[in-house]
Amino acid sequence: MTESVTTGGPPPGTDQRLAKGARARASIARRAADVASVEGLTGISIGRLATDLGLSKSGIATLFGSKESLQLAAVKCARQVFIDEVITPSLSEPSGLPRLRALVERWFGQVAHPAFPGGCFRVATLAEFDSRPGPVRDAIAEDRRAWLAFLVKEIRRAQEQGQLGGRTADAVAFELDAVIAAAHTARQMGDEWGVTTARAVVADLLETTG
């Protein structure tokens, strides 16, 4: 009996097209995040990104479909950049206070040398969307919740080791987030005294009591 033989796989070149599309999406999302850090997420537009990147409007529209999709991609991109530059390198430190100190130091590193031209993406976009219900606000809020939950986990581990007593882990995480956000704002305003003061406040917060 003769059997027909088929590959069952994608047409030739499909993998390359998918990879090219993924690279294009990543490049556009990163540029969208750069723009949003300076002009806000509402400053993102398909036309603006097409001009900046030398792409066609139709090409960007095909990949993303809408301005909201671009905004969500920018939020996702910024979150991944923060993970890559602050969280992941700190995971090599022992859990608890050593890891928390590493996180804070790399977090302050983003104050001195921000990953985005407008400084901290989270600081730039939280105020913009805090009163605007919808998927973009939800994505920004989820990013902040996830980050604070991660901080709380490391603070609790430090407390289990007899350190950082006297405050709840949630309170310490909230204070760290607030103070370093203020440092980002001070840096963008050219207020080096504010950055130095924020560092001193954080140093006090991380004093051990074991």
Side-chain angles (χ1 to χ4, degrees):
M1 184 173 63
T2 302
E3 297 179 354
S4 62
V5 178
T6 59
T7 64
T14 298
D15 289 346
Q16 289 87 345
R17 288 197 297 272
L18 290 173
K20 183 179 180 180
R23 288 193 298 270
R25 285 183 63 87
S27 175
I28 294 165
R30 178 57 196 246
R31 180 57 189 160
D34 286 343
V35 170
S37 73
V38 177
E39 301 179 20
L41 285 162
T42 53
I44 294 173
S45 71
I46 290 175
R48 164 70 185 275
L49 295 177
T51 299
D52 289 353
L53 296 171
L55 301 173
S56 68
K57 291 182 182 179
S58 60
I60 295 178
T62 298
L63 288 171
F64 290 94
S66 69
K67 178 172 180 172
E68 184 176 272
S69 294
L70 277 168
Q71 292 171 328
L72 290 170
V75 173
K76 183 177 180 181
C77 172
R79 179 175 183 170
Q80 189 59 53
V81 168
F82 188 82
I83 289 171
D84 291 344
E85 298 198 6
V86 176
I87 296 177
T88 299
S90 302
L91 296 179
S92 60
E93 297 294 333
S95 183
L97 191 59
R99 184 176 297 170
L100 186 61
R101 289 188 183 280
L103 286 165
V104 166
E105 191 56 36
R106 288 186 171 88
W107 200 359
F108 267 117
Q110 288 293 297
V111 174
H113 305 287
F116 298 99
C120 178
F121 182 92
R122 191 181 293 120
V123 171
T125 56
L126 272 171
E128 181 188 10
F129 270 81
D130 60 0
S131 300
R132 299 185 184 194
V136 178
R137 180 184 185 276
D138 292 345
I140 294 169
E142 175 54 32
D143 172 54
R144 184 170 184 271
R145 280 193 296 269
W147 169 233
L148 289 176
F150 182 80
L151 277 180
V152 167
K153 180 180 69 174
E154 293 304 330
I155 292 164
R156 284 179 178 156
R157 287 178 176 172
Q159 290 174 333
E160 290 167 1
Q161 298 163 6
Q163 300 163 330
L164 299 181
R167 298 183 183 90
T168 67
D170 294 274
V172 175
F174 183 86
E175 291 173 38
L176 285 173
D177 183 66
V179 172
I180 299 180
H184 276 286
T185 301
R187 167 64 169 70
Q188 290 303 110
M189 296 297 292
D191 179 9
E192 293 304 321
W193 178 87
V195 176
T196 301
T197 300
R199 275 193 169 275
V201 171
V202 168
D204 286 342
L205 283 173
L206 296 184
E207 282 297 317
T208 62
T209 60

